[in-house]
Amino acid sequence: NELKKEFQLERMILFSDAVFAIAITLLVIELKVPEIERSELTEQKLLEALAHMIPKFFGFAVSFMFIGIYWTVHHRLFGYVTDYTPKLLRLNLFFLFAVVLMPFSTAFYSEYVMKHVITPVVFYTGNIILLGVFNLLLWQYISNPASKISEGLSKTQARYNMMRSIAVPVFFTITAFIYLVSPTIAVYMPILIPVVLRILKKVYDKKNTTAIKKEHGNRTT
């Protein structure tokens, strides 16, 4: 039974890795080489064509970053998992649903974001919210002692990662509202996400260090 559980868990993790790899590869398919008639081909026209693709390159870079971040989080999370349950499988599939939606939402967002229409922004933000919600549900379920499927995951670590899960969707929701006022500013706001996550990490490290010192002091007394 133990070998069977380990095998089922390994299958789920390998399947998840494959989905991440496919999703992150599909992102680049939207970056098509500019086609210019040979009779009209000049350096200037080629550079202009590349300039028109800047939003697509930017969308690709942002989504590549997000899929990469969520893959590392998924990798870290399943490092604590020791057992397999049908509910874990369902939650993981819902999370992967949001992952495989990223190539389409990215293409939709990149194509129209500079044309000052809100629908692509709302759609892309909704995709990010789905990622955050399902990631949060995974952390909640796996870190819950009643689930009995993880070990070595402290409450502090779980709270921190759940906070990270919420932070990114909240940031994008704020960005969507800013887009209504100033699209130019809102378009480039996603590059601040690593800064936001770094701040959260520093806050977590500080609280964790304080908690460890307090616990050590209680033991000493």
Side-chain angles (χ1 to χ4, degrees):
N1 287 335
E2 290 301 322
L3 287 174
K4 184 177 179 180
K5 287 180 181 179
E6 184 179 344
F7 174 69
Q8 294 288 5
L9 182 60
E10 190 70 20
R11 283 189 65 194
M12 181 165 56
I13 294 173
L14 290 174
F15 175 76
S16 301
D17 286 344
V19 170
F20 273 103
I22 293 170
I24 213 167
T25 303
L26 287 176
L27 287 174
V28 78
I29 292 179
E30 293 301 321
L31 300 179
K32 302 184 186 303
V33 176
E35 294 184 6
I36 302 174
E37 293 292 335
R38 186 175 182 82
S39 58
E40 300 178 358
L41 181 60
T42 62
E43 291 291 344
Q44 183 177 353
K45 285 189 177 292
L46 193 58
L47 290 174
E48 287 175 356
L50 286 174
H52 284 303
M53 292 182 64
I54 288 177
K56 291 187 177 182
F57 279 111
F58 186 76
F60 164 78
V62 170
S63 294
F64 186 95
M65 176 184 69
F66 279 123
I67 293 178
I69 288 174
Y70 279 108
W71 178 79
T72 56
V73 171
H74 188 273
H75 177 73
R76 187 185 314 122
L77 173 60
F78 274 80
Y80 298 109
V81 178
T82 57
D83 203 352
Y84 156 86
T85 65
K87 184 175 181 179
L88 178 62
L89 176 62
R90 289 193 298 270
L91 288 174
N92 192 58
L93 281 173
F94 284 132
F95 176 70
L96 294 178
F97 167 80
V99 172
V100 296
L101 190 60
M102 283 295 289
F104 173 78
S105 65
T106 300
F108 187 39
Y109 174 83
S110 301
E111 183 69 28
Y112 295 103
V113 68
M114 298 304 292
K115 298 177 182 178
H116 299 180
V117 284
I118 192 63
T119 301
V121 178
V122 172
F123 193 92
Y124 190 77
T125 302
N127 196 169
I128 297 296
I129 290 173
L130 281 179
L131 278 169
V133 169
F134 292 138
N135 189 41
L136 173 64
L137 292 175
L138 275 171
W139 277 102
Q140 285 181 331
Y141 179 66
I142 291 173
S143 64
N144 187 354
S147 302
K148 298 179 180 179
I149 59 170
S150 66
E151 62 181 22
L153 179 58
S154 67
K155 291 183 179 179
T156 307
Q157 287 175 313
R159 282 197 299 268
Y160 162 67
N161 283 284
M162 284 188 278
M163 183 172 61
R164 277 174 57 108
S165 301
I166 298 171
V168 176
V170 169
F171 184 88
F172 262 88
T173 302
I174 294 171
T175 300
F177 282 106
I178 292 176
Y179 186 88
L180 294 172
V181 180
S182 178
T184 305
I185 295 176
V187 165
Y188 296 102
M189 283 186 64
I191 62 177
L192 297 176
I193 290 292
V195 177
V196 173
L197 295 180
R198 177 64 63 179
I199 292 172
L200 288 177
K201 182 69 167 60
K202 287 185 177 181
V203 172
Y204 162 73
D205 289 340
K206 186 176 180 180
K207 287 185 177 181
N208 195 36
T209 302
T210 303
I212 292 172
K213 288 182 179 179
K214 186 177 180 181
E215 184 180 352
H216 181 70
N218 292 336
R219 288 179 180 177
T220 304
T221 55

